[in-house]
Structure formats: C-alpha cells, structure tokens
Amino acid sequence: MALDKFWAPVPWMLEAAIVLELVLGKYIEAAIIALLLVFNAALGLFQESRARATLATLNRGSR
C-alpha cells in the first residue's frame, strides 16, 4: 500500500526531478525533493488510514 503512493504522475515527476538533480550534481536539492516525496507518501497513508477509520465508524453507526 505504501508503494502505491510512489506510483502516480506526481511522484513520477518528483522522482524525475531527483534523478535530474543528481545528474547535475545538486545532491542537497535531490535530498530535499526525496524528503518531500517521502513526506507526501507518509501524509497520504496517514490521511487514508484516518478516512478508513472514519468510514468504519460511520458504518457501525448506521446499523
């Protein structure tokens, strides 16, 4: 599930930017972009888990 957060157009662009920065020798910028990519994936997982928990609570309340 976590790897799915890296398989979409926006993460692909960030991954391409990381590769480009590495090719250009800008290692700090590449690291910052990589951190943002990982942060984005973690935030997406957190939001998804909260949404699932909320949906489960709503489903239990409607029965």
Side-chain angles (χ1 to χ4, degrees):
M1 198 157 93
L3 292 178
D4 289 339
K5 300 297 177 193
F6 296 102
W7 193 256
V10 172
W12 292 339
M13 287 189 299
L14 290 173
E15 292 161 2
I18 292 168
V19 170
L20 181 61
E21 294 293 343
L22 289 172
V23 168
L24 294 174
K26 298 182 178 183
Y27 302 111
I28 294 174
E29 289 85 349
I32 291 170
I33 295 170
L35 286 173
L36 289 172
L37 180 63
V38 170
F39 176 76
N40 185 45
L43 186 62
L45 284 172
F46 175 73
Q47 289 178 334
E48 191 173 323
S49 69
R50 296 267 313 201
R52 286 180 191 219
T54 302
L55 185 59
T57 302
L58 288 172
N59 282 337
R60 275 186 260 130
S62 66
R63 291 182 185 175

